[in-house]
Amino acid sequence: MRQRSTPLAVPPLSRRSAARWSAVAATLLLGVAATACAGPEPAPGRTLSASAPLPDLPGTPTPTRLSLTRDDSGRTLTLMTGGVALLRLTGPDSGEATADGPAVTVVPVAYETDPGYREWEIRAARAGTAVVRAGGGTRQVHITFKVVSPTAPAGAR
């Protein structure tokens, strides 16, 4: 003889429990959506133009993205780990960009068509200091980057 199964009775959730489960479901959904939308690059933040003078404030980290040109040579900038600065150079003496320390990684930006300039992403990899050099001859660019961890207390290296 075949036995009948009875449906399992689930007591209704209280409003408080329902609200908690809704919040958990929404958080999970947003986390999955953010992961699916994330690309290999950090999400761009506010971009500052290098044509406007930027203050050299060693204790104040820059925004997520920062655009730099030859005019910014000799500056010292602070980036938080994960931050990105863009270095854009024009002219025949643009050369290659290199970093002398492990605090930043220099990645050339490749374009399908020539935009008339060379560009590199300077990615803040870990806390420390590094100097990025680009260009050649008398028009060499050198910018010092101090990378700080977002969890490090102010003034820590």
Side-chain angles (χ1 to χ4, degrees):
M1 176 176 253
R2 199 166 176 197
Q3 198 174 27
R4 283 184 149 181
S5 62
T6 55
L8 181 62
V10 177
L13 293 174
S14 69
R15 285 186 184 184
R16 189 175 191 175
S17 294
R20 283 185 186 163
W21 281 109
S22 294
V24 168
T27 302
L28 288 173
L29 181 62
L30 289 174
V32 170
T35 303
C37 293
E41 299 179 9
R46 191 176 87 186
T47 301
L48 296 178
S49 170
S51 61
L54 299 172
D56 284 329
L57 302 173
T60 306
T62 60
T64 304
R65 278 222 193 271
L66 181 66
S67 296
L68 304 168
T69 65
R70 196 175 301 276
D71 294 336
D72 294 299
S73 185
R75 300 192 61 164
T76 298
L77 301 170
T78 303
L79 287 175
M80 289 192 345
T81 52
V84 176
L86 296 173
L87 175 60
R88 182 181 291 182
L89 299 179
T90 58
D93 59 348
S94 296
E96 290 297 322
T98 58
D100 73 350
V104 299
T105 304
V106 178
V107 179
V109 177
Y111 292 97
E112 288 184 21
T113 58
D114 184 8
Y117 54 83
R118 303 273 320 262
E119 189 171 50
W120 298 269
E121 281 189 358
I122 292 90
R123 298 178 183 172
R126 61 178 155 174
T129 304
V131 177
V132 173
R133 288 178 171 59
T138 59
R139 299 195 50 166
Q140 185 176 27
V141 175
H142 63 281
I143 301 171
T144 303
F145 290 92
K146 290 183 180 179
V147 179
V148 295
S149 174
T151 58
R157 287 188 183 225

